[in-house]
Amino acid sequence: SQKIEQNSEALNIQEGKTATLTCNYTNYSPAYLQWYRQDPGRGPVFLLLIRENEKEKRKERLKVTFDTTLKQSLFHITASQPADSATYLCARPYSSASKIIFGSGTRLSIRP
Amino acid sequence: KAGVTQTPRYLIKTRGQQVTLSCSPISGHRSVSWYQQTPGQGLQFLFEYFSETQRNKGNFPGRFSGRQFSNSRSEMNVSTLELGDSALYLCASSLGETTGKGEQFFGPGTRLTVL
């Protein structure tokens, strides 16, 4: 079965540094991967989608990569700020034209 | 444009009861998905509806059911509640026919507590 894993349950870094979160998937490469941010007590908010044929995608201080050889996506936040503290989720389609499955999330804490 | 709304926001029920949760998607969105989120299992897919038809279903017992109305509003129902059903239930809407081909917009969720 398809799986998606975020190995780091929590990540603590100093303000101003680059935060790097990892998402690994099993079996076939999905057509795309999505990244979401979730704050406590709220629903996830979509951040970025990267397609299988895209190596990298950027949005302001965010950068996502997609490596089909390593079966991995990396999510970077540059010049991190305490306001970036949240849980970040990666997601993939279970199969083509199918339900979305989510990783367990990485709780990111940025200390001043 | 108003976001996804879910009602009620909080709900307390006892074991054996049933519950109905409601979701209004963003105007123009025709796809609605439901998720259950718990600390132990994370975010798990329940089902997806598009144009009043269930398109995908997750691995949940038959006590969990849903439907979608012609105006795209959706409801999910859980019968014979169990303690383990305590969770945050999230609804997400998207523009396209199949959830996930684009961005999903999540509502704030309904926090269900089963006593």
Side-chain angles (χ1 to χ4, degrees):
Chain A
S1 62
Q2 313 301 339
K3 288 186 180 179
I4 190 160
E5 295 172 344
Q6 294 180 255
N7 297 330
S8 296
E9 187 175 323
L11 184 63
N12 299 298
I13 67 166
Q14 184 78 40
E15 181 178 6
K17 301 290 186 184
T18 296
T20 298
L21 284 64
T22 304
C23 179
N24 295 292
Y25 60 87
T26 61
N27 296 327
Y28 79 92
S29 284
Y32 56 86
L33 286 164
Q34 298 178 334
W35 284 88
Y36 290 80
R37 167 183 173 143
Q38 186 174 24
D39 291 286
R42 297 191 166 209
V45 174
F46 174 84
L47 296 173
L48 283 166
L49 180 151
I50 184 165
R51 301 194 185 279
E52 187 179 15
N53 61 352
E54 297 174 317
K55 296 293 183 189
E56 180 180 298
K57 201 145 188 193
R58 292 175 185 261
K59 179 183 176 181
E60 298 172 352
R61 294 185 295 112
L62 308 180
K63 184 178 85 171
V64 173
T65 62
F66 193 166
D67 189 324
T68 56
T69 302
L70 294 178
K71 296 191 175 183
Q72 182 180 83
S73 175
L74 298 179
F75 176 84
H76 306 272
I77 304 176
T78 58
S80 60
Q81 305 166 1
D84 295 326
S85 297
T87 295
Y88 292 85
L89 302 158
C90 66
R92 63 161 290 171
Y94 186 78
S95 63
S96 61
S98 175
K99 64 186 181 184
I100 290 289
I101 57 174
F102 283 80
S104 54
T106 295
R107 190 173 62 254
L108 177 65
S109 298
I110 310 296
R111 58 183 186 275
Chain B
K1 189 184 267 191
V4 177
T5 58
Q6 292 187 245
T7 56
R9 291 294 312 279
Y10 302 91
L11 206 48
I12 299 176
K13 292 285 188 179
T14 56
R15 279 180 297 175
Q17 288 187 308
Q18 75 165 19
V19 66
T20 298
L21 312 181
S22 181
C23 170
S24 292
I26 291 172
S27 177
H29 284 195
R30 296 167 65 190
S31 176
V32 172
S33 291
W34 288 90
Y35 294 86
Q36 181 196 66
Q37 188 172 37
T38 59
Q41 297 297 318
L43 201 58
Q44 292 191 290
F45 175 83
L46 279 158
F47 22 66
E48 177 200 357
Y49 289 89
F50 180 82
S51 293
E52 302 178 68
T53 302
Q54 187 179 89
R55 293 302 178 99
N56 286 294
K57 191 174 189 305
N59 296 323
F60 279 82
R63 300 185 296 108
F64 292 81
S65 63
R67 59 178 174 167
Q68 186 181 34
F69 302 96
S70 58
N71 61 359
S72 294
R73 191 177 68 85
S74 178
E75 288 181 348
M76 68 162 280
N77 184 277
V78 187
S79 62
T80 319
L81 284 166
E82 301 177 358
L83 294 178
D85 296 333
S86 295
L88 181 67
Y89 289 88
L90 291 159
C91 164
S93 76
S94 59
L95 194 58
E97 178 172 344
T98 303
T99 301
K101 280 192 174 178
E103 179 177 354
Q104 288 189 89
F105 295 83
F106 281 84
T110 294
R111 172 73 62 185
L112 171 65
T113 302
V114 181
L115 303 176

